[in-house]
Amino acid sequence: MSESGTQNTVVTALAAIGRPVVNGFAGVGSAAIFAGRTIRRGLTPPYYPTRLIEQFFQIGWLSIPVVALTAIFTGAALAQQIYTGGSRFNAQSTVPAVVVIGMVRELGPVLTGLMVAGRVSSAMAAELGTMRVTEQIDAMRTLRTDPYRYLIAPRLFAAIIAMPLLVCLANILGIFGGYLLSTAKLGFNPANYLSMTADILEADDIVMSLVKAAVFGFFIALSGCYAGLSASGGAAGVGRATTNAVVAAFVTILAANLVLTVAAFG
Amino acid sequence: MAETPKLALDHVAKRFGSNQVLRDVTLSVAPGESLAIIGGSGSGKSVMLKCILGLVEPDAGTIRVDGEDMTAMRAADRERIRTKFGMLFQGGALFDSLPVWRNVTFSLTQGRMLRKREMRDIARENLERVNLGGDVLDLYPAELSGGMQKRVALARAIAPRPEIIFFDEPTTGLDPIRASVINDLIVELVEDLGVTAVTITHDMKSARRVAHRVAMLYEGEIIWTGPVDTLEDCGNPHVERFVKGVAQPAE
């Protein structure tokens, strides 16, 4: 009796670990199928250029203020940290180099990705989730229109195009933030600061920055759209979808960042 | 030889997880006929409709439209069959980001901004059929009352001139007067446009008004079908209880 009781406890414990793992893999699998279907259908007619432009405006243009502020603040804070930390071993002069590498390779893409994910994945999940639970997605299919082409593909492609442009802006403004603080407060010579920045920056850094940006854009839109289209169960379901979208976008961005960074620079 | 049914379901079954929603649905609808499917909440009415529309894949059975088996078709052919369908969703399911006229003409433009003047004329004409004036063309769904939303949704469903229209609980959520307006519209459209109509409802008044024939879905099976005027004394205890609104002894 006690033996079977122990067995049951073990089985229950293993099931509690196994179930989320299996569900996790199933989720990754169906998100991958979802992405493949969106790309395949998005590349075949009918196309919706107007929808693409609308989404580009939503994702790209309207994200500029938040991305710009984040980049300037981070660049300036980074400059101060490197100056103070560097002074412990007389390396204050590395500020321009560390700021440019830190921003372009890492902080520009990652912080832009996270800020845009917070703004955009949640909004996509909420909008598509509401459409799902009010049967608007089903209605669209009965009206001879493919929701993958009309709703999902424009969001996915717009995010993949908009993110590199936003990251370019973030990189420039991040470097500018570091430059402002360094020249105004830390006593750097403006011309020297800029020439040191230009010297250290390589084409590879910029390419990697933009590749990361495009990949993050893909995950931002994929998380938002997949969560939204899988929503069920009224307002509460839409709320869950929104949370899932943001969490999934954050985790996939940080994981993809690690993989890309190790692959390129490791 | 009998006429080919417009729509025929043969032994259709569907389960979600451990929940067997449709057990064995066999049903046919003749061209130009108006069929009401009645049944309690959770009896599988909506799932059956979604199987026919191709929004849900049935696990077993065949669904034939004009004699062609949809379940065995390639995606492209299925799309062609789907153009014969129109659907009025329970909550209207209007696209709330688009004005009324673009909602009504959505199936004609597939959501694109094409031939604006012509589309507005088509929208106006279809709105007239559901007794709405041109003043609603530029309003958004959120600016309309529930009854008006239903009518706009109806105009959207008939705009591409479908051959079969499905009505999902067309009178739910409407007051008795607006419900009777919708019922009258359905009857009118079926007669004027010569379409085949399938209405799922638990509103017996609506079923009696719009249907020629009634089928009852109970626990995933069609347990009775017959002309609407035999509904009262059909001899099936489940149907009689449902029609009279009497709970089962066990309930």
Side-chain angles (χ1 to χ4, degrees), chain A residues 46-51 54 127 130-131 134-146 150, chain B residues 50 53-55 82-83 85 87 89-91 93-96 98 106-107 110-112 156 160 168:
Chain A
Y47 304 112
Y48 294 97
T50 322
R51 307 282 306 159
E54 271 170 30
E127 187 180 355
T130 305
M131 291 186 75
T134 56
E135 297 188 300
Q136 290 180 51
I137 308 253
D138 286 341
M140 189 170 283
R141 290 177 64 183
T142 66
L143 295 167
R144 308 165 189 187
T145 305
D146 178 7
Y150 185 80
Chain B
K50 287 188 171 167
L53 289 166
L55 301 174
R82 249 196 226 150
T83 62
F85 296 154
M87 165 93 183
F89 284 85
Q90 191 175 344
L94 294 173
F95 304 123
D96 36 35
L98 299 177
F106 197 91
S107 64
Q110 297 194 312
R112 284 166 297 182
R156 181 176 73 175
D168 184 2

Side-chain angles (χ1 to χ4, degrees), chain A:
Chain A
M1 187 65 201
S2 78
E3 195 178 318
S4 82
T6 319
Q7 250 177 11
N8 279 343
T9 317
V10 171
V11 169
T12 311
L14 287 178
I17 300 166
R19 201 170 298 120
V21 172
V22 170
N23 288 346
F25 277 112
V28 169
S30 61
I33 292 170
F34 178 86
R37 187 177 295 162
T38 303
I39 293 168
R40 198 173 61 245
R41 298 205 194 163
L43 294 175
T44 50
Y47 304 112
Y48 294 97
T50 322
R51 307 282 306 159
L52 183 69
I53 294 164
E54 271 170 30
Q55 288 304 320
F56 185 76
F57 178 78
Q58 282 289 336
I59 300 166
W61 184 254
L62 296 181
S63 297
I64 287 178
V66 61
V67 167
L69 289 174
T70 308
I72 292 176
F73 294 155
T74 307
L78 185 60
Q80 180 69 62
Q81 289 284 14
I82 300 306
Y83 185 82
T84 314
S87 69
R88 293 178 194 161
F89 45 97
N90 286 327
Q92 296 97 320
S93 61
T94 57
V95 168
V98 175
V99 167
V100 71
I101 290 193
M103 279 313 298
V104 173
R105 282 191 178 184
E106 188 73 16
L107 293 174
V110 170
L111 289 179
T112 304
L114 296 180
M115 296 310 284
V116 174
R119 252 200 88 237
V120 170
S121 300
S122 53
M124 285 179 180
E127 187 180 355
L128 296 176
T130 305
M131 291 186 75
R132 161 60 81 202
V133 302
T134 56
E135 297 188 300
Q136 290 180 51
I137 308 253
D138 286 341
M140 189 170 283
R141 290 177 64 183
T142 66
L143 295 167
R144 308 165 189 187
T145 305
D146 178 7
Y148 284 91
R149 290 191 177 92
Y150 185 80
L151 293 171
I152 316 296
R155 283 171 168 78
L156 195 70
F157 295 150
I160 294 172
I161 302 166
M163 270 296 289
L165 298 174
L166 286 170
V167 167
C168 269
L169 181 76
N171 290 345
I172 293 166
L173 290 176
I175 294 166
F176 177 68
Y179 166 86
L180 271 187
L181 190 109
S182 303
T183 53
K185 180 166 175 286
L186 307 178
F188 276 82
N189 174 294
N192 277 351
Y193 189 99
L194 289 181
S195 78
M196 285 172 79
T197 299
D199 283 347
I200 202 83
L201 188 64
E202 288 175 7
D204 281 358
D205 299 330
I206 299 172
V207 169
M208 198 56 210
S209 187
L210 301 184
V211 168
K212 279 185 176 181
V215 172
F216 298 168
F218 170 80
F219 283 119
I220 288 168
L222 179 64
S223 307
C225 294
Y226 179 72
L229 232 62
S230 332
S232 62
V238 175
R240 272 195 303 277
T242 309
T243 309
N244 291 344
V246 176
V247 172
F250 276 34
V251 172
T252 47
I253 284 173
L254 295 173
N257 181 57
L258 176 63
V259 171
L260 289 171
T261 304
V262 171
F265 304 115

Side-chain angles (χ1 to χ4, degrees), chain B residues 24-238:
Chain B
D24 183 3
V25 176
T26 298
L27 184 68
S28 80
V29 192
E33 184 182 30
S34 175
L35 174 78
I37 297 166
I38 58 172
S41 311
S43 58
K45 302 191 298 286
S46 295
V47 172
M48 188 185 86
L49 214 51
K50 287 188 171 167
C51 283
I52 302 171
L53 289 166
L55 301 174
V56 167
E57 198 79 27
D59 299 330
T62 59
I63 298 171
R64 287 173 197 280
V65 177
D66 290 323
E68 292 185 274
D69 182 4
M70 278 188 83
T71 46
M73 265 177 195
R74 289 178 312 131
D77 288 323
R78 212 180 285 186
E79 284 302 315
R80 176 175 57 78
I81 296 290
R82 249 196 226 150
T83 62
K84 298 183 180 187
F85 296 154
M87 165 93 183
L88 176 66
F89 284 85
Q90 191 175 344
L94 294 173
F95 304 123
D96 36 35
S97 59
L98 299 177
V100 164
W101 72 273
R102 288 196 61 193
N103 262 289
V104 173
T105 55
F106 197 91
S107 64
L108 308 175
T109 59
Q110 297 194 312
R112 284 166 297 182
M113 196 66 145
L114 302 170
R115 306 188 301 276
K116 187 173 171 189
R117 188 184 300 260
E118 186 190 333
M119 288 303 145
R120 285 178 70 90
D121 289 341
I122 292 175
R124 192 175 288 121
E125 181 194 318
N126 283 290
L127 288 167
E128 263 168 32
R129 280 203 168 271
V130 297
N131 304 330
L132 284 173
D135 48 327
V136 300
L137 278 177
D138 294 302
L139 296 180
Y140 282 83
E143 299 170 291
L144 303 173
S145 70
M148 282 165 93
Q149 286 186 8
K150 272 255 156 88
R151 280 191 275 168
V152 172
L154 193 50
R156 181 176 73 175
I158 60 168
R161 294 294 175 265
E163 296 171 25
I164 310 176
I165 309 187
F166 301 94
F167 302 93
D168 184 2
E169 308 275 3
T171 56
T172 298
L174 299 180
D175 65 53
I177 294 169
R178 292 204 166 72
S180 99
V181 169
I182 294 287
N183 288 335
D184 292 348
L185 276 173
I186 293 174
V187 173
E188 238 176 81
L189 291 171
V190 170
E191 283 170 5
D192 290 1
L193 304 175
V195 297
T196 306
V198 177
T199 308
I200 62 176
T201 186
H202 49 232
D203 174 357
M204 291 314 302
K205 207 171 158 206
S206 175
R208 286 198 188 91
R209 176 78 183 92
V210 304
H212 303 135
R213 199 157 61 92
V214 176
M216 170 131 182
L217 190 62
Y218 182 78
E219 291 184 347
E221 284 179 52
I222 298 286
I223 54 162
W224 179 81
T225 142
V228 68
D229 45 15
T230 62
L231 201 53
E232 302 301 328
D233 41 13
C234 64
N236 185 306
H238 291 300

